[in-house]
Structures are given as C-alpha cells and as structure tokens.
Amino acid sequence: MKELLFTNWHIMRLVRLAFALFLFAQAYILQEWMFIAFGLFFFIQVLFNLGCSSNGCTISNNKYSKNE
C-alpha cells in the first residue's frame, strides 16, 4: 500500500489531486455538499492511481484475429 501511494506520480495524477482539493474547498465555502461526492471520486482515483492514463483505456488495433 505504501508503494502504491508514493510511486508512479505523473502530471494527470497531480491534476486529479488538485481538482479533488478544489472541489472539497468549494463544498466547504459554498456549503454545497454534493461537491464532496465529486471530490471523493477524484481523490479515490488519486489514492489508488486509477483511471485512463497514457492510453490505458484505448481499444487495441489488433489486425489479426483467430479466424484468419
């Protein structure tokens, strides 16, 4: 768990962290508590390094199939 939290930090992970903190601050300032749910979504992505980064969610262009 320690390795997951402290390694593989990239620009998108930092952007998600900044956005999550921004949403938490806005929820507190505006007292719009629904922002906390959106902030938690991004914060969980930051903690566990989830999400599509560096073509992680692309569809492969494999031209070869089993039938050919």
Side-chain angles (χ1 to χ4, degrees):
M1 183 70 165
K2 185 177 176 181
E3 183 178 329
L4 179 66
L5 291 176
F6 295 115
T7 59
N8 199 19
W9 281 86
H10 45 81
I11 190 71
M12 199 60 214
R13 199 169 175 187
L14 293 172
V15 168
R16 286 186 194 121
L17 178 62
F19 193 59
L21 294 175
F22 170 76
L23 288 172
F24 290 147
Q26 288 300 308
Y28 179 74
I29 292 167
L30 299 175
Q31 295 183 357
E32 292 288 336
W33 306 116
M34 190 63 185
F35 285 144
I36 290 178
F38 295 119
L40 281 174
F41 172 74
F42 287 104
F43 193 69
I44 288 171
Q45 283 187 338
V46 169
L47 280 181
F48 299 112
N49 198 17
L50 299 173
C52 298
S53 61
S54 59
N55 296 327
C57 294
T58 60
I59 299 171
S60 67
N61 288 333
N62 191 0
K63 295 181 182 180
Y64 305 107
S65 66
K66 295 178 181 179
N67 296 332
E68 293 181 19

